[in-house]
Amino acid sequence: MLVVENLTKRFGRNAAVDSMNFSVDRPMMLGIIGRSGAGKSTFLRMMNRMTDATQGSLTFEGRDVLTLRGRERRNWQADCAMIFQQFNLVPRMDVVSNVLHGTLNRRSTFATMFNLFPREDIHHAIDILERMGIAEHAAKRAEALSGGQQQRVAIARALMQDPKVILADEPIASLDPMNAQIVMETLRRIHEEDGRMVIANLHTLDTARRYCDRVIGMRDGRIVFDGTPAQLTTGVARDIYGADDSFSEDATSTEIRDAARPALTARAAATA
Amino acid sequence: MLVVENLTKRFGRNAAVDSMNFSVDRPMMLGIIGRSGAGKSTFLRMMNRMTDATQGSLTFEGRDVLTLRGRERRNWQADCAMIFQQFNLVPRMDVVSNVLHGTLNRRSTFATMFNLFPREDIHHAIDILERMGIAEHAAKRAEALSGGQQQRVAIARALMQDPKVILADEPIASLDPMNAQIVMETLRRIHEEDGRMVIANLHTLDTARRYCDRVIGMRDGRIVFDGTPAQLTTGVARDIYGADDSFSEDATSTEIRDAARPALTARAAATA
Amino acid sequence: QGIEEFNIGILGGENAQDRLNNHGCLKTYAEDALGVPVKLFAPADYNGVIQGLLGGTIHMAWLGASAYAATYLQDPEAVEPVLVKINLDGSYGYHSIGFARADSGITSLEDMQDKVFGFGDPNSTSGYLIPSIEIPMAGDAITMEPGAYFGDVVFTGGHEQTIVAVNNGDIDAGVTWADGQGEWADGYNSGALRKAVDAGLVDMNDLVEIWRSKPIPEGPIVLASALPQDVKDKMTALVDGMYDADPECTYNISAGESLGFDPITHDAYLSIIEARKAKSE
Amino acid sequence: MTDATAYAQADRLFGRKKLFSWGLPAVVLTYLVYVAFAFHILTPDMFGIPSNIPDRDRLKFDVQNGRTLVADMVSYKTHVTRDNRSGELGVAIEGERKGAYPDGIVPDWVDAQGETTVIDLGAGHIVTFLPGNALTYEVPGYGTIRGQIEGRTVVTNIPEDDVPDWINLSSTRMAITTDEGRLSLTRNKTEVFNYFPGWELFWFTLDSPYSGHGVFDILFGDQIDPARGNIEGAWHDFWENPMWRHVDVAWALFETVLMAFLGTFGAAIVALPVAFLAAKNFSPLMPVRFALRRVFDFLRGVDALIWTILLSRAFGPGPMTGALAILFTDTGSFGKMFSEALENVDQKQIDGVVSTGASTVQRYRFGVIPQVTPVLLSQVLYFLESNTRSATIIGAITGGGIGLLLTQAMITQKDWEEVTYYIILIVIVVMLMDSLSGWLRRKLIKGE
Amino acid sequence: MTDIPFDARAHYVEMTRRKRMYGGIMLAVFVALMVSGFMLADARNAGGFWAGLPNIFGFPADVIADTAPKVDQLPGHLVTYFPALTETLNIAAASTIIGAALGFILSLLSTRGMARWPRLIPVFRRIMDVMRAVPEIVIALILIFVLGGGPVPAMIAIAFHTSGALGKLFSEVNENADLKPIEGLASVGATWGQRMWLGVVPQVAPNYFSYALLRFEINIRASAILGFVGAGGIGYELKNAMSWGQGRFDEAAAIFILLFLTIVVFDQISSHVRNRLAHEGAH
Ligand SMILES: Nc1ncnc2c1ncn2[C@@H]1O[C@H](COP(=O)(O)OP(=O)(O)OP(=O)(O)O)[C@@H](O)[C@H]1O
Ligand SMILES: Nc1ncnc2c1ncn2[C@@H]1O[C@H](COP(=O)(O)OP(=O)(O)OP(=O)(O)O)[C@@H](O)[C@H]1O
Ligand SMILES: [Mg+2]
Ligand SMILES: [Mg+2]
């Protein structure tokens, strides 16, 4: 259903994404890993059409995404929700309004200008918030919520779009381990319960392993790994991250392994 | 040399410190423990004369501390250095200047305003920083240092005062275990090498046990324990903290037990 | 075509509130005569009124001769003079009076060498235009160039400020206006000095007169040329007949005792206009 | 690091710091000294260096003027005048027609009997107007001064070689100033000023039936004026008080606030859309952006003062001109500030909205407006407060508002009590606007 | 979630309805105030807004017409009026320095945690409010009466207002300053002066400087305006040239150019410096 061919994005002379090729035949949870600057975000932004590609094509259910213009392009964006590392909510607006932004594409510009959303949309938004477990914060300003809660609002906004695909750009990078787990589990549940496709950029291997059905590894804009989580060995990881032998997965792990033996944050202990 | 009699501090109707009585006959390292709100900080602040006592007396080497006024009071403050949980340095100033602030009481206001610190003071400050192991940061701004380094600057400032007593109010509460250890060891060394008296508020039992010669336990403003570290059993600790049987010391331990098994910070994992 | 409103501009000399106050009766009469709302405006200085007349936003004003000349020179079509105030003795003129502090030892322009001389408002006839032309004629050496004969030449902003500045010693001498009749000790019968004395601001014993100009023609009441003829006629007739109809109101609008207003034409101000034109070169 | 290098490094550091902490104050101090000389607060001859700075350029401190001013702010004087030609006697507060006592009525400290009038200034100072343009003034501790007009000159019994400094004497005029009052005698008139504390006639002028009645009388007492109810009549006489003109003052005050209000918000309304075109991240065209920036600089650089003068030609005197002057200048300020605020917007929020498929307008509405609103609003409210103050000055130039009344009253220098009144009103209004804008800021920005 | 059953839907709908209503009322009131205010101002003005609009270039056109033939004299005029401009700038700079110094002390005295006499904080706040509320022109005109003409009354008047205005801004900065360093200094026995100078000033200096620069910009205008009503400097010259009108418009134009350039130059310099300070203060 998703076919990416030869997709390339150049900023000046530097190729952020360099002839990416892969295809996906059924809704699944797809993880993209790679170190900073590998081109993960750029790929998602091209897919959501927030950034234009330099060349190549991207087809979703037969729709040639990269050539869409105007109204059609916005419709595609509505079908392809995006979740950001920094949540990218409107902090001064209340939670429900933020979720309702997911309907902007469907509603007339004029009506939304005055914040006039239909009542059933409002109720639907609150239902989604309930599903995310944060309905009691509905009337608060987004900025008043904790990071994990804000990310769940962002997911609620994405769900409000009723999208075919959810793109998540490092959704847990600014969260603590507890919240990270909640958010990843929510995404997984959405995928499983609603059957939506989820593409998530992740910066930790174990998360990708644990939640994804398929993992793509990128390095310098190119795909250097494409396979199941099981195939993702430490050796492969070293390839992807360009790390040497001292590389240990623990250093980037955020998983909460066992309630009795709390997380070892090596970094906290190591810094002087 | 230190005699505290009937010392009381009331905020409104609430007694933060309630007729405290104890005396110390030789310079020693004294730990004060107790849960939050027990009155530990209030006692230290009264001793340093940053807060006025409501009643009672505090005599140090025959000097009636609580009745000192103006110049004499500031002289006492110079003799009785204070170290804070949050370091309380001037963040935008360089490290040496912060250490030199320890001499403010000796220098005229005018001279200090124009940065006219005598050269021997500057050199002395550097010597102290060297002793603290942070001389290479001398010219940096205080804010550019890590927490543990900042606390060592604060101790350096205290030493610069050449005080008879050093009061330390939870000096390691905002430090990670590694730094906590360094700071506590520094304080102990100062006590042993210079023979200065150190009074430290601590919020963890094992720290008190490990570094102090004598421990005072407070609860609701009153002294409920006064003895050697050895007498400080888990039962006594339960008394002091008003905890029930589920109390386990591990929950507040900050000790670094084994380099191979890094610190368990229960709090970090427990917060959602 | 008719008009929708009629705006009267009032020049300085008193504080703004009193000015508006004194012209309240004129406003009432004019509203009756014209049948449109009449508004009074009291801008801060001569220039405010001049700009209003030039822009057509003010329809009637009592100008000084120099201010009329300024208006005429910038736009000859803007206004036309219609009436002039007649003094108690039947003349329509007044003087520019140069004065100094008695204890300064200054008694004439000769004593003013290297001293500070003060004018009022640049648009004032007696406070600037006439003295700036006539004073240099009083002696060969005298010019109005600051620093040449006088130590400095400044503008104080208005008649009242000049009087206060001389009295306070901020400047050594200045010019203001007076009718030149009656006693110096009273500040003459009318004029800025008289008002200052009446207000208790100065004691005339402390001041001496050091110079006096030739008679200066009283400024005209002008009407905007663009007004319909019948409006002009009505307003001219109204003010012309005011002395007989309501002496109290005449007293108020002419700032003191007078014999009312008589018609006048542009020709009476030709020499002033020439003088001003010469100053502008 | 060795001790020696560490010492050297620290010494260098403190050398620099010392230089800075001495250098900066020294520069500032030098400048202030220069200004003190430039403004003649200090002169070379104070330091023994001869200089030819004329006296008038030196700073002086006129205590007498200051005292007069303060006294005038809190007191009023009543004039008793005799016309020496007709012999007519008049009593008037501040010597003004509208403060005149009605014919035949005089205050109780004046005793008029035929051609003789006895005026008791208090503390034993008694002035007597005698027939034949003569008078006596009993000054306790000095004696009785006599004066008379004979022909054209003033004749007195004051010894010519020993005139006290509180008497100003010439052949045409005698003036006496004491703590209790002032007297002047010239050929035309004899005048006595008696000073009293307070703002006389603030509530009612003497011709009002309510003059001299207290609040209680008016509210609960008998009907004073048969034609009108007490409250209605008293309000009317107070509001239309011809001496203090409360109604005009209220209008003037209102006009001032109106100028500030229209100018500030008008400017904000004009500047907001334009600021988008001038912001780097929103402007489609660089030349447009550059041009708009220069337009903003121009509007601001010309300054409200000059705009006032330029606009008074087209719009004449009045509050609209003042409002437009503020509007022009502030459009420049707001244009710049708004576009800077827009350049600093957080792209993340916008991205979030864009990713849902929002249209351009929706992007501005939800991505941009919510985050710039608090910044803009607080800037606008801050300007509103400071423009209230500027509007007094602009009013003084364009001819409108309380500023005109104030400056004119100050320039004529006699009605200091009115000046005080206006100042108090202005201060109150500005402080009210300050609290109002603070209140709105908290309400609208911090949210309920 | 709480145990109490809680209907998020009804609650939220009710809340938006209320918010929308308040918003609507606010907007309506604001629009009504703007429109009626505009109409009122129009009615109380001598010339109407719409009638005057076409004449808006009347005055500039006269100035240009008068200046154009004498353009060669402009440089001379620029030189002539430069000293007056210097005086105006000196007034602005000196009053900013003095005002900032006073404002600094006032702000310390009126900030909780720093005040020398904490009980007097409200008193100092009120004092600053009043200092801010009195227009400069009032003080200048009163002082002219006592001190005579010249730049000093203007300087004092502006400094007076500036200390109130900066005092308030400074105390807002102070409020955000960290009190911990001050406590730290108190514990070593530092005097109040030392605590403020060493503990507060380093934290707030960049913000202070930025506000003071902004104020300097404002004070240049204030000092020009005060000249206009009688306190000397470039404003005085401008008023005289402008009042005389035709014949001296070339001088007016020269003064105008000087004033305009000065304001624009200082405005640009100060916004540049302030931007840099803001970025430096960020980390
Ligand atoms: N707007 C842009 N202009 C220029 N270069 C860009 C832009 N956006 C991204 N790049 C460059 O493209 C490359 C890929 O960036 P991208 O953000 O896609 O990486 P990433 O894998 O998401 O990294 P990170 O983990 O840091 O988010 C980087 O070298 C980056 O500097
Ligand atoms: N300035 C103050 N005003 C009013 N109450 C105060 C003040 N300072 C302290 N208290 C109260 O006095 C009691 C003792 O406070 P104190 O800070 O001494 O406790 P502590 O043992 O240091 O606790 P912690 O571990 O939280 O620092 C508390 O109940 C506190 O609320
Ligand atoms: Mg990225
Ligand atoms: Mg504590």
Side-chain angles (χ1 to χ4, degrees), chain C residues 76-135:
Chain C
E77 303 300 322
V79 296
E80 51 195 58
V82 288
L83 294 165
V84 70
K85 185 186 94 168
I86 307 298
N87 290 331
L88 285 173
D89 65 351
S91 69
Y92 63 96
Y94 60 101
H95 296 273
S96 171
I97 305 282
F99 62 102
R101 264 190 84 90
D103 58 12
S104 66
I106 298 168
T107 54
S108 69
L109 290 174
E110 275 84 75
D111 303 326
M112 277 298 292
Q113 186 148 12
D114 295 330
K115 298 273 168 56
V116 183
F117 187 84
F119 291 122
D121 186 297
N123 282 313
S124 165
T125 324
S126 55
Y128 175 59
L129 182 64
I130 294 299
S132 74
I133 291 167
E134 287 189 9
I135 287 179

Side-chain angles (χ1 to χ4, degrees), chain A residues 246-264:
Chain A
S246 71
F247 174 79
S248 148
E249 279 192 34
D250 283 355
T252 63
S253 168
T254 57
E255 196 180 344
I256 297 174
R257 277 168 200 165
D258 177 7
R261 214 184 113 222
L264 303 178

Side-chain angles (χ1 to χ4, degrees), chain B residues 11 14 16 35-42 170:
Chain B
F11 291 109
N14 165 27
R35 65 177 174 187
S36 183
K40 307 184 294 293
S41 302
T42 307
E170 309 200 3

Side-chain angles (χ1 to χ4, degrees), chain C residues 5 7 39 41 45 47 51 55 57-58 70 73-74 121-123 128-129 153-155 164 168 170 276 279-280, chain E residues 42-48 55 59 62 70 144-145 147-149 236 239-240 242-249:
Chain C
E5 57 174 15
N7 298 330
K39 285 187 276 175
F41 291 94
D45 58 7
N47 192 42
Q51 292 305 322
T57 58
I58 286 180
L73 286 172
Q74 285 185 55
D121 186 297
N123 282 313
Y128 175 59
L129 182 64
V153 178
V154 299
F155 286 96
V164 171
N168 284 351
D170 293 340
R276 182 156 177 133
K279 282 296 297 180
S280 292
Chain E
D42 201 36
R44 288 184 73 83
N45 216 57
N55 293 336
F59 195 94
D62 277 1
K70 297 191 250 180
I144 287 175
F145 193 64
L147 299 178
Y236 163 81
K239 182 191 162 100
N240 288 332
M242 281 260 199
S243 307
W244 180 261
Q246 201 189 28
R248 279 208 205 146
F249 274 145

Side-chain angles (χ1 to χ4, degrees), chain E residues 33 44 131 219 235 257:
Chain E
L33 278 178
R44 288 184 73 83
M131 287 174 103
N219 283 350
I257 291 170

Side-chain angles (χ1 to χ4, degrees), chain E:
Chain E
M1 234 200 178
T2 47
D3 298 334
I4 312 153
F6 156 89
D7 188 353
R9 281 187 201 85
H11 174 74
Y12 181 78
V13 170
E14 172 58 21
M15 192 196 79
T16 26
R17 203 184 56 78
R18 212 174 43 236
K19 260 210 228 151
R20 206 172 286 160
M21 196 179 70
Y22 286 151
I25 291 172
M26 284 272 280
L27 193 69
V29 167
F30 176 73
V31 170
L33 278 178
M34 277 307 277
V35 172
S36 59
F38 178 83
M39 286 179 352
L40 190 68
D42 201 36
R44 288 184 73 83
N45 216 57
F49 177 73
W50 302 112
L53 217 46
N55 293 336
I56 208 159
F57 293 111
F59 195 94
D62 277 1
V63 174
I64 293 167
D66 202 20
T67 313
K70 297 191 250 180
V71 125
D72 53 316
Q73 297 179 16
L74 269 187
H77 291 322
L78 292 181
V79 173
T80 312
Y81 291 114
F82 195 75
L85 179 69
T86 316
E87 179 165 282
T88 296
L89 286 177
N90 278 338
I91 293 174
S95 57
T96 309
I97 293 172
I98 296 169
L102 275 176
F104 169 57
I105 294 167
L106 278 172
S107 76
L108 290 180
L109 292 176
S110 59
T111 308
R112 239 170 283 119
M114 300 179 189
R116 186 77 224 255
W117 304 282
R119 236 168 273 174
L120 295 184
I121 288 178
V123 177
F124 287 112
R125 292 227 168 139
R126 284 289 103 175
I127 290 177
M128 288 194 303
D129 285 351
V130 172
M131 287 174 103
R132 244 164 351 112
V134 184
E136 292 105 332
I137 197 174
V138 171
I139 300 168
L141 286 178
I142 292 179
L143 286 177
I144 287 175
F145 193 64
V146 178
L147 299 178
V152 180
M155 183 183 78
I156 297 176
I158 299 177
F160 185 81
H161 177 79
T162 301
S163 34
L166 283 182
K168 182 183 179 200
L169 291 173
F170 285 0
S171 75
E172 273 166 17
V173 175
N174 290 349
E175 239 136 55
N176 293 327
D178 188 358
L179 292 179
K180 290 198 300 284
I182 303 168
E183 264 202 334
L185 291 175
S187 78
V188 306
T191 60
W192 185 77
Q194 289 171 329
R195 291 202 298 275
M196 295 303 123
W197 191 254
L198 301 170
V200 181
V201 172
Q203 296 190 57
V204 296
N207 283 327
Y208 274 18
F209 190 67
S210 148
Y211 279 130
L213 265 182
L214 191 66
R215 196 71 223 176
F216 175 55
E217 216 184 297
I218 296 171
N219 283 350
I220 295 176
R221 296 151 190 269
S223 132
I225 290 184
L226 283 186
F228 209 83
V229 294
I234 195 91
Y236 163 81
E237 306 288 354
L238 180 65
K239 182 191 162 100
N240 288 332
M242 281 260 199
S243 307
W244 180 261
Q246 201 189 28
R248 279 208 205 146
F249 274 145
D250 55 329
E251 291 170 33
I255 298 168
F256 169 76
I257 291 170
L258 274 180
L259 191 54
F260 175 74
L261 287 182
T262 310
I263 291 178
V264 169
V265 164
F266 279 100
D267 176 302
Q268 299 287 333
I269 293 177
S270 114
S271 75
H272 181 73
V273 174
R274 276 183 293 123
N275 276 340
R276 279 193 40 195
L277 280 176
H279 287 298
E280 188 180 292
H283 57 73

Side-chain angles (χ1 to χ4, degrees), chain C residues 26 29-31 33 83 233-243 245:
Chain C
L26 178 63
Y29 283 123
E31 273 174 350
L83 294 165
D233 292 345
K234 276 185 200 159
M235 283 312 295
T236 312
L238 172 71
V239 178
D240 199 3
M242 182 77 79
Y243 185 68

